[in-house]
Amino acid sequence: MRWTLIPAVLAALLAPLDAAAASGYTMADFAKVPKIDAHLHLHGDSQQAWLALARKDNFRALTINVDYPDFPSLAQQRRVASTLAHQHPELVAWAATFSTDGFERPEWSAATLKDLDGAVADGAVGVKVWKNIGMSLRDSQGKLVMVDDARFDQLFDGLAQRRVMVLGHQGEPHNCWLPIEQMTVNNDREYFAAHPAYHMYAHPEMPGYEQQMAARDRLLDKHPTLRFTGVHLASLEWDVTRLAQFLDAHPGVNVDVAARIGQLQYQSQRNRERVRAFFIKYQDRLMYGSDLEQSAEQDNAGFVADMDQVWRRDWRYFVTTDRFKVPELDQPVQGLALPRAVVDKLYRINAEKAYPRAWHKAQ
């Protein structure tokens, strides 16, 4: 009897270790696990270096067009994205966008929807709505136009009817409305110090943070069937409790973490379990994204090296318990060690559900 108990005792002792190993990934799993970066911007005509990295790191991507003056023209963005998606449909999907030029003309909405119909027919799986609506777009009377303006109702009604995913970037990080010295992450302090025109704390004549959030929420209330992803954690990156309230109020909405992981890490330095619990509770609503894009000054090798570094650093935060330094913060942060099922949803499953026409091999 004593001999038959020994294997059982060993099994009982080892079971917790086996369960722990099975519950989470490690850094060694990085290249083994299929992943999706659901928010980046591929602009160059030659993406061979990026494609090689994506295959090595086991990533697929959603490249997003944006009506942003610092990006290439909308026509060029669409051409590059469409070409990549047609040539590498198993790796690349894309989201279109639109210009607000002439939005007050009676025919603008119908013409814009027709243009977006063409993009969707060409393979686009979503439409980006950028922060220029609410932060810079003005009408013929000089009045700033918010995203819930009635002049956009026909556009959003049409997108809702078509069941096209809308990727909404409204407002800016909460830090944008704080003094530089009160901002929580280094990258925000550096950016707004270098770009004072975009630092809303210095521009009290512009709509405040809560006004931007309220306009976005009114848009969702006006168009309850609109498929919507709030990119950049729906600009509620500063407080996972506030973000949870937003998700509870809009049960059909998803968010991505693109370019806001530093703000999550700032919170997890102070209450790691609260951030971890948020990811577990809302595991079906969250998507990974990096928001990386290749600047005009950066060569392909530099872009790929940066992307590999960011992808691996973010993976370390989500899957391990390591303490390590990140550029956004002065003090180390500890990883969340999320369960495998949560990581799989964050990095792949939720994006596949949000974009069911994406990442299929050519027929």
Side-chain angles (χ1 to χ4, degrees):
M1 185 173 182
R2 181 178 60 185
W3 295 106
T4 59
L5 277 175
I6 289 175
V9 170
L10 286 173
L13 290 172
L14 292 174
L17 298 177
D18 292 340
S23 67
Y25 289 118
T26 69
M27 288 306 298
D29 295 314
F30 174 75
K32 303 174 187 175
V33 178
K35 302 174 290 295
I36 294 171
D37 186 332
H39 189 143
L40 51 69
H41 309 281
L42 300 174
H43 292 156
D45 285 307
S46 175
Q47 293 293 341
Q48 294 308 309
W50 181 87
L51 290 164
L53 174 70
R55 293 187 179 100
K56 179 176 73 73
D57 286 354
N58 210 347
F59 260 101
R60 291 170 280 167
L62 177 69
T63 182
I64 301 172
N65 291 182
V66 186
D67 188 18
Y68 178 30
D70 288 357
F71 279 5
S73 69
L74 294 185
Q76 182 178 342
Q77 288 185 58
R78 182 177 292 193
R79 177 182 57 78
V80 169
S82 172
T83 299
L84 273 171
H86 281 294
Q87 292 179 347
H88 306 280
E90 77 287 358
L91 288 180
V92 180
W94 67 289
T97 193
F98 57 90
S99 170
T100 56
D101 290 349
F103 80 97
E104 292 180 278
R105 296 199 303 264
E107 68 276 12
W108 179 85
S109 293
T112 299
L113 284 168
K114 182 178 179 180
D115 176 66
L116 293 174
D117 283 341
V120 170
D122 190 42
V125 298
V127 172
K128 177 69 175 280
V129 178
W130 197 50
K131 65 185 180 184
N132 57 328
I133 305 177
M135 298 199 76
S136 63
L137 179 65
R138 294 183 182 273
D139 64 17
S140 56
Q141 305 302 311
K143 181 181 178 182
L144 196 70
V145 179
M146 305 300 283
V147 73
D148 65 324
D149 192 288
R151 287 167 287 193
F152 294 119
D153 282 351
Q154 184 180 344
L155 171 67
F156 288 115
D157 284 339
L159 293 172
Q161 291 165 7
R162 290 159 171 77
R163 304 295 296 156
V164 174
M165 178 65 77
V166 172
L167 297 91
H169 177 176
Q170 281 68 57
E172 283 280 49
H174 187 259
N175 282 332
C176 182
W177 283 268
L178 297 177
I180 297 288
E181 63 274 12
Q182 292 182 23
M183 293 183 183
T184 54
V185 291
N186 293 329
N187 52 319
D188 282 347
R189 282 190 286 269
E190 294 164 2
Y191 179 82
F192 290 115
H195 298 84
Y198 303 138
H199 184 195
M200 290 299 102
Y201 174 79
H203 298 279
E205 74 280 3
M206 295 289 285
Y209 172 79
E210 295 298 345
Q211 290 174 278
Q212 297 286 354
M213 297 301 96
R216 188 267 318 285
D217 291 350
R218 288 194 299 268
L219 169 73
L220 296 175
D221 291 339
K222 288 171 69 175
H223 307 278
T225 63
L226 187 69
R227 299 184 66 235
F228 191 86
T229 293
V231 299
H232 309 305
L233 289 171
S235 294
L236 296 165
E237 73 296 318
W238 59 285
D239 184 357
V240 293
T241 299
R242 174 77 179 268
L243 179 56
Q245 293 168 353
F246 168 75
L247 291 172
D248 290 342
H250 304 282
V253 167
N254 302 314
V255 296
D256 75 30
V257 302
R260 300 295 184 267
I261 293 174
Q263 285 91 337
L264 291 170
Q265 292 167 336
Y266 175 83
Q267 293 174 74
S268 64
Q269 284 179 331
R270 286 145 183 80
N271 192 333
R272 175 179 175 270
E273 288 309 311
R274 184 164 71 104
V275 177
R276 189 173 188 273
F278 168 83
F279 272 85
I280 292 172
K281 180 175 181 179
Y282 295 96
Q283 60 185 272
D284 296 314
R285 314 278 295 279
L286 308 169
M287 290 184 280
Y288 175 75
S290 67
D291 197 29
L292 290 181
E293 55 95 9
Q294 187 173 2
S295 68
E297 299 78 24
Q298 191 176 38
D299 61 19
N300 289 338
F303 176 53
V304 165
D306 283 352
M307 181 155 284
D308 183 62
Q309 183 180 52
V310 169
W311 278 349
R312 290 175 184 274
R313 186 170 62 232
D314 292 346
W315 177 261
R316 189 179 186 185
Y317 174 62
F318 288 120
V319 309
T320 78
T321 58
D322 294 352
R323 291 185 180 275
F324 59 100
K325 289 293 297 294
V326 296
E328 292 83 0
L329 302 168
D330 294 332
Q331 299 300 318
V333 65
Q334 184 178 11
L336 297 180
L338 296 173
R340 288 190 182 200
V342 176
V343 173
D344 286 339
K345 290 177 181 179
L346 174 67
Y347 270 93
R348 178 178 56 84
I349 295 171
N350 293 343
E352 290 176 336
K353 289 181 178 178
Y355 307 105
R357 295 173 54 238
W359 307 298
H360 297 296
K361 293 183 179 179
Q363 300 298 316

